[in-house]
Amino acid sequence: MVHFNVPDMTCGGCAQRIRRAIDDAELPEGMEVTIDVAARQIRVPTHAQVREIDLVLSAIERAGYKTEADSASPSGRASGNCCCAPRPSTKVDADQYDAVRTSPCCS
C-alpha cells in the first residue's frame, strides 16, 4: 500500500469531498482507494501504477487538500486547505471592489 497523510482531512465531510474527487478520476475498474478519516490517510494499493497514483493525488488536490507521502510515492505534490477552514471563493462585492469572500464548507 502507498499511504498518503492528509492532515487537513478532519471530518466525514472532508472524506466525502475527497471520495467524490477520486470517484471522478479515471482510475481502473475495481481499484480500491481507502479513506481513513481517523488516521487522516488515503491508501492506494501497492499494485497501482505511477499514473494511477498521480490521478489520486490530483483528485485530492482538486478537492482542496494537501498530501504528505507516508511511504515512497512518485509524486510529492501538495496544495490546498482543510474544508473546515476559511478559503477564498468568488468575488462578491456589489461595488466591484476586489474583495474576496471566505466561507467554511462544514457549517
Side-chain angles (χ1 to χ4, degrees):
M1 285 269 170
V2 176
H3 297 228
F4 294 101
N5 294 323
V6 185
D8 293 335
M9 181 175 61
T10 59
C11 65
C14 298
Q16 287 177 354
R17 174 177 276 163
I18 292 169
R19 172 57 65 197
R20 283 191 301 267
I22 290 172
D23 288 346
D24 289 343
E26 296 178 14
L27 294 174
E29 189 79 23
M31 176 177 265
E32 184 66 32
V33 176
T34 307
I35 298 175
D36 184 344
V37 176
R40 295 183 183 189
Q41 287 187 339
I42 296 177
R43 299 180 186 112
V44 181
T46 304
H47 67 273
Q49 303 296 314
V50 171
R51 178 184 178 280
E52 297 159 353
I53 293 171
D54 280 343
L55 286 172
V56 172
L57 287 172
S58 293
I60 295 166
E61 291 173 356
R62 276 194 319 276
Y65 297 85
K66 64 181 179 179
T67 61
E68 300 170 354
D70 187 33
S71 59
S73 73
S75 269
R77 299 179 295 172
S79 69
N81 294 313
C82 172
C83 75
C84 300
R87 63 177 67 209
S89 62
T90 58
K91 295 181 181 197
V92 296
D93 188 35
D95 295 324
Q96 304 301 316
Y97 293 111
D98 288 333
V100 176
R101 175 182 62 178
T102 61
S103 64
C105 68
C106 295
S107 55

